[in-house]
Amino acid sequence: MGKLTTHILDTVSGKPAEGIEVELWYVEGDKKHKICAATTNQDGRTEKPLAENEMFKNGKYELIFFINDYFNNSSNPNFLDTIPIHFGVSDNNNHYHVPLLLSPFGYSTYKGS
């Protein structure tokens, strides 16, 4: 069976983003089911896959990155607070990797391997 992983790179420092909370949700129509919650380690990755085996099935997912505290260095609100990424899995026998490239004012993602 396949699995789902992620990592976060702080593109300002060029280093992995440690200590960011991540949640994974499975989306069925207007209902969402929480699969897991994790925090990134010193390598910007979660300690284990976000979903694998019977918890990783074909369908739609939402991956939420809670980045507010990561960039919060003042009493002013950050430009970015949470980053939700919606994506689909069409072959749960493969490894899906969803990285996040992050700065205080923007982000990008892609389907990695």
Side-chain angles (χ1 to χ4, degrees):
M1 299 263 331
K3 63 184 175 181
L4 173 67
T5 58
T6 190
H7 80 272
I8 307 171
L9 178 64
D10 179 336
T11 59
V12 174
S13 68
K15 297 180 181 178
E18 180 179 3
I20 294 179
E21 293 181 45
V22 178
E23 288 181 358
L24 178 66
W25 296 78
Y26 186 76
V27 181
E28 290 182 288
D30 61 350
K31 295 181 182 179
K32 295 184 352 181
H33 308 280
K34 189 174 183 179
I35 304 293
C36 76
T39 303
T40 57
N41 62 20
Q42 70 279 0
D43 196 31
R45 300 174 186 276
T46 57
E47 293 295 327
K48 60 183 184 175
L50 297 171
E52 60 185 336
N53 302 322
E54 66 277 349
M55 295 304 294
F56 187 53
K57 54 189 177 179
N58 291 344
K60 295 182 179 182
Y61 289 86
E62 180 180 33
L63 188 54
I64 304 173
F65 299 90
F66 295 88
I67 63 160
N68 186 60
D69 290 342
Y70 183 77
F71 287 118
N72 196 7
N73 293 322
S74 70
S75 60
N76 294 323
N78 292 326
F79 178 69
L80 296 171
D81 180 38
T82 58
I83 298 173
I85 298 175
H86 299 260
F87 62 96
V89 170
S90 60
D91 183 359
N92 64 336
N93 290 309
N94 284 324
H95 178 189
Y96 281 71
H97 184 68
V98 182
L100 182 67
L101 306 176
L102 179 63
S103 84
F105 301 104
Y107 64 91
S108 65
T109 189
Y110 56 93
K111 182 184 180 292
S113 58

